[in-house]
Amino acid sequence: MWSFGILLWEIYSFGRVPYPRIPLADVVKHVEIGYKMEAPEGCPPEVYEMMRQAWDLNPAKRPTFSELKTKLLQLKNATT
């Protein structure tokens, strides 16, 4: 789920490298203290919230793929 959140971020940032401005060697330290990337420009708030939930440090608190699928379908239906 964490990786899916990263993938969403990469999609909405048009392929930018995750964790910009943080040296690769320091990413884990930042993540362990709760750092979450900012929303990419133009990313819908609902999608960014899905990313943030996917990046919860506690795996049990992260949404399931089934839950995210439901949310994404609801968002699609609300915007089409």
Side-chain angles (χ1 to χ4, degrees):
M1 180 51 62
W2 185 287
S3 296
F4 183 72
I6 298 296
L7 176 64
L8 283 175
W9 188 91
E10 289 173 323
I11 290 168
Y12 276 92
S13 68
F14 297 97
R16 286 182 37 216
V17 174
Y19 302 101
R21 298 180 301 278
I22 299 176
L24 186 57
D26 296 335
V27 169
V28 172
K29 287 187 279 187
H30 282 77
V31 167
E32 287 177 337
I33 60 171
Y35 173 79
K36 291 182 171 79
M37 292 184 285
E38 295 180 13
E41 187 176 330
C43 178
E46 300 89 349
V47 175
Y48 181 60
E49 183 57 29
M50 290 179 213
M51 292 177 201
R52 289 184 55 83
Q53 290 172 2
W55 300 331
D56 197 297
L57 287 177
N58 181 347
K61 291 184 178 179
R62 296 176 198 157
T64 65
F65 279 102
S66 180
E67 292 167 341
L68 271 191
K69 177 184 173 188
T70 299
K71 289 179 182 181
L72 287 167
L73 286 172
Q74 289 171 344
L75 183 59
K76 176 186 171 250
N77 291 334
T79 57
T80 56

